[in-house]
């Protein structure tokens, strides 16, 4: 019997330290670049087959255009390099989309939060990425940048249309995630639930975010989004429509749980069985809807 | 072969230049190339905090930091905590409280405690425990470690109170 062949880990043949956005997109233009920001996903995954997009490592950490949180046209632009620690500390973002800080507070450890970027969390396209259900609830859009005819060209994709499968998205290999953009929606109810093997450093078995205008035992214009219960992070739009602005009595909550159960498609893996993931999703949604009802 | 790239950075106050493999981490560079073995390699995956260093005043897991990204940074490791001719306040408190446990995780604990105290000199017991979550290993109870950090934190509180009088 032939012994299994060990494949040599992919090595980077080239390195570009991009110091502005045009240098960064130029280094990705031929589709052979692998961007790196915080490294908290890439430096763990880089030995795995397929994890490295191209053999030119493009360090984007020194690109000023990708840094910082700024308000513009009634929206907030969160640069791709903004870390979880920065999201936690930003007062304006806390008002505009409180769900983001609530979720960032449950993210890994201080050291990881200090390095992990929002752009990396989006680009990695993991079905379990913790910031995705909150961003889906915040009606976020992704700003993508690439080089076209020697200039920077950008496009915006709503987050709900961004993911196409586990680790896959509409982002092309020559594109960078430049920013995540959220509308300013102050005063909305914000709930976030997450389960993992231990309180810190967990990869979610299930995560859920819920937002809306809560008043009089009703949730109006609701958003309900889950991580790790489908091939991509998802919004449960049928469940949202069912409860929109209606009194959250026991019967409606029961129907909401059934509807949600039909919208998710969890898998079984080493972290949890399908049954357990469905159980967690129902428990979280029930808990949150009761919380909204009972004030 | 991984490409090599020249980096220049400040390591515990000293300008340091060398060529690193693009594929390497800051941790292996410090340990294997620069004889700074204070930061430990344990999990290599960001889970244990034994490799914690402070880069541009922020604590990170050195095992996940790409080596070429060292360029231009200000890096502090446990070797650099020595103040003048003595231990830093955090180190001194760890020694007096016997806050050692297995010992292997201690440099990372000390660096993370240093970072937490720099960010927020006065902390509650709960804040210290949360701040050290990236270093906890489930071996034992961390009581002495928390006590050591709390002592430094209380000293800071006393100083603030005295200054206000
Ligand atoms: C111990 C540990 C705990 C973790 N805990 C959590 C957790 O609780 N929740 C969670 O969601 N995640 C967690 N993660 C995963 C990781 O920290 C996050 O996904 C993080 O946001 C990734 O950001 P980064 O900047 O480190 O990405 P990097 O590792 O730098 O990059 C990730 C991927 O995205 C690409 N990329 C990065 N930035 C861009 C960009 N701007 N444009 C295009 N492509 C880009 C890279 O090429 C790479 O493929 C954890 C990881 C570790 C090691
Ligand atoms: S060795 Fe870096 S976190 Fe464990
Ligand atoms: S790793 Fe040091 S006590 Fe657990």
């Amino acid at each position: 019997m032939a012994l299994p062949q060990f494949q040599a880990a992919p090595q980077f043949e080239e390195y570009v330290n991009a110091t502005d956005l045009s240098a960064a997109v130029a280094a990705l233009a031929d589709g052979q670049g692998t961007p790196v920001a915080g490294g908290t996903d890439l430096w763990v995954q880089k030995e795995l087959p397929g994890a490295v997009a191209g053999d030119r490592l493009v360090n984007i950490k020194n690109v000023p255009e990708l840094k910082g949180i700024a308000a513009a046209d009634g929206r907030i632009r969160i640069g791709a390099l903004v870390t979880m620690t920065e999201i936690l500390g930003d007062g304006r973002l806390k008002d505009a989309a409180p769900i983001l800080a609530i979720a960032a507070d449950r993210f890994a450890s201080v050291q990881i939060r200090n390095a992990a970027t929002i752009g990396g969390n989006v680009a990695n396209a993991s079905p379990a990425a913790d910031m995705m259900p909150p961003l889906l609830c915040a009606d976020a859009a992704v700003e993508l940048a690439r080089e076209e005819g020697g200039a920077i060209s950008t496009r915006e994709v709503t987050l709900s249309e961004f993911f196409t499968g586990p680790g896959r998205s509409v982002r092309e290999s020559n594109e960078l995630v430049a920013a995540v953009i959220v509308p300013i929606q102050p005063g909305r109810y914000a709930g976030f639930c997450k389960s993992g093997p231990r309180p810190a450093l967990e990869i979610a078995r299930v995560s859920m975010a819920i937002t809306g205008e809560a008043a009089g035992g009703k949730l109006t214009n609701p958003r309900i989004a889950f991580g790790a219960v489908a091939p991509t992070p998802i919004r449960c739009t049928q469940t949202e429509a069912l409860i929109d602005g209606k009194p959250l009595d026991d019967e409606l909550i029961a129907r909401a749980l059934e509807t949600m159960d039909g919208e998710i498609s969890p898998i079984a893996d080493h972290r949890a069985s399908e049954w357990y993931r469905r159980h967690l999703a129902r428990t979280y949604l029930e808990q949150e809807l009761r919380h909204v009802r009972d004030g | 072969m991984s490409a090599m790239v020249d980096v220049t950075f400040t390591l515990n106050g000293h300008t340091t230049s060398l060529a690193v493999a693009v594929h390497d981490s800051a941790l292996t560079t410090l340990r294997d190339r620069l004889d700074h073995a204070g930061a430990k390699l344990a999990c290599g995956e960001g889970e244990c905090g034994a490799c914690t260093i402070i880069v541009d005043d922020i604590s990170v897991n050195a095992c996940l930091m790409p080596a070429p990204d060292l360029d231009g940074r200000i890096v502090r490791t446990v070797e650099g905590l020595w103040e003048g001719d003595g231990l830093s306040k955090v180190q001194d408190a760890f020694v007096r409280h016997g806050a050692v446990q297995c010992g292997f995780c201690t440099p990372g604990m000390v660096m993370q405690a240093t970072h937490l105290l720099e960010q927020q000199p006065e902390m509650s017991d709960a804040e210290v425990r949360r701040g050290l979550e990236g270093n906890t290993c489930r071996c034992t109870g961390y009581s002495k470690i928390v006590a050591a950090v709390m002592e430094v934190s209380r000293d800071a509180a006393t100083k603030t109170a005295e200054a206000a009088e």
Side-chain angles (χ1 to χ4, degrees), chain A residues 3-9:
Chain A
L3 286 168
Q5 292 285 309
F6 283 103
Q7 284 224 303

Side-chain angles (χ1 to χ4, degrees), chain A residues 9-15 17 36-41 43-44 46-47 52 57 59 61-62 105-115 198-201 203, chain B residues 1-3 5 22-25 44-49 52 58-61 63-69 71 73 108 112 115-116 130-131 133-136 138:
Chain A
Q11 303 269 317
F12 295 111
E13 308 277 348
E14 216 185 311
Y15 174 73
N17 179 15
V36 65
T40 63
D41 275 319
W43 243 241
V44 176
K46 71 181 184 331
E47 315 294 338
V52 169
L57 186 72
N59 187 356
K61 269 199 67 184
N62 303 307
D105 193 44
R106 298 283 308 276
F107 199 101
S109 62
V110 174
Q111 291 96 318
I112 296 283
R113 287 197 290 275
N114 282 344
R198 56 178 178 148
L201 296 172
I203 291 187
Chain B
M1 256 296 281
S2 182
V5 51
V22 175
H23 211 71
D24 267 352
S25 67
E45 299 194 339
E47 301 268 357
C48 74
T52 302
I58 283 185
S59 66
V60 296
N61 302 113
C63 66
L64 298 183
M65 180 178 176
D69 193 46
D71 192 48
R73 313 267 176 227
Q112 180 60 10
H115 169 73
L116 293 174
R130 262 222 83 186
E133 269 177 356
N135 301 74
T136 48
R138 303 297 184 268

Side-chain angles (χ1 to χ4, degrees), chain B residues 101-105 137 139-140:
Chain B
Q101 304 199 165
C102 75
F104 198 74
C105 54
C137 55
C139 296
T140 165

